[in-house]
Amino acid sequence: MPKSRVRKKKVYTAPPELRPQSKRAENQPSPTWVPVTAVVLIVVGIGWLVSFYLTQGAFPVESWEYWNLAVGFAALVASLLVLSRWR
């Protein structure tokens, strides 16, 4: 049986109006303050929670009672939000 010819496909090129436009601002790395801010928020959040537990609620702000936990975890969540912008 004779072997069939292999047909070469043409390479598809999108029309110019459908090609993705490269935006230089999106491709650039993030500024230095982004990871620095995230690390500071992580350290502050963990430090706040640890100091609250080690002092049995007497420090950082005694009158806030268990809202100190919310402050510590809010700092950690804020660091996650900042890190989501890191490129």
Side-chain angles (χ1 to χ4, degrees):
M1 171 158 267
K3 190 174 181 182
S4 62
R5 281 190 292 159
V6 178
R7 287 182 260 164
K8 293 184 179 179
K9 289 186 176 182
K10 292 182 180 179
V11 177
Y12 174 75
T13 55
E17 60 271 1
L18 296 179
R19 289 184 192 150
Q21 302 294 325
S22 63
K23 295 179 182 174
R24 292 184 180 207
E26 291 180 6
N27 295 334
Q28 291 181 353
S30 55
T32 307
W33 65 266
V34 173
V36 170
T37 304
V39 169
V40 167
L41 284 171
I42 290 170
V43 169
V44 166
I46 292 175
W48 194 283
L49 293 172
V50 167
S51 66
F52 176 72
Y53 277 116
L54 290 180
T55 61
Q56 298 175 352
F59 186 76
V61 182
E62 187 174 7
S63 64
W64 288 359
E65 298 175 0
Y66 286 105
W67 282 104
N68 283 306
L69 295 175
V71 172
F73 283 116
L76 294 175
V77 169
S79 71
L80 289 175
L81 294 174
V82 171
L83 283 174
S84 70
R85 295 290 184 181
W86 191 20
R87 287 184 226 141

